Amino acid sequence: MALPQERDRPAWPPGGGRRWQRVGAAVVVAAIVALAGCGRRDAALADCRLPADATVLAIGDSLTRGHGAGGAGYPEQLQALLRDVPQRADVRVVNLGVDGERSAGLLARVDAAIAEHRPAVVLITSGGNDFLRRVSADDTRRHLLAVTSSPTRPACT
């Protein structure tokens, strides 16, 4: 099946693809900064709610997997940061990123992943591929809300 020509495509995602790349990058940076704060050796460590032997589950699309990062995606970088801090050296970061995954795929597997790994923290990157594949914004929003608000899912931080 041939793809439509560029001139036949609607302007999608709204605001252009670069905007969504920046949003995705901002989410990843915010997650790394938040968790890396748990590794500081100063007074901030006392406020860290991440248990010393916790599991951090990073789940989502190619941003999570580290596509193009040569095996050094943000979960691996976070693991390395935490490993250097004695109080957080036992924290385990699990990378369950899947290239090209859309929010419906994440919704289909998130409960099983949480049940298997029993994380204290779940980091999610999803939605970019929905926009690239022209999934409706309403469907994407519905999937992501379901991912983050399941009443039957065990509590994570």
Side-chain angles (χ1 to χ4, degrees), residues 22-36:
R22 287 191 302 270
V23 169
V27 169
V28 170
V29 168
I32 290 172
V33 167
L35 285 171

Side-chain angles (χ1 to χ4, degrees), residues 31 34-35 38 47-52 54-59 91 114 118-124 147-148 153-157:
L35 285 171
C38 288
D47 295 331
C48 181
R49 297 186 315 157
L50 185 64
T55 295
V56 174
L57 176 63
I59 188 167
V91 172
I114 289 173
R118 303 178 55 83
V121 176
V122 178
L123 304 176
I124 299 168
V147 164
T148 60
R153 188 171 303 126
C156 300
T157 303

Side-chain angles (χ1 to χ4, degrees), residues 64-81:
T64 301
R65 187 185 147 298
H67 181 81
Y74 83 82
E76 291 77 18
Q77 293 179 41
L78 177 59
Q79 181 74 72
L81 287 170

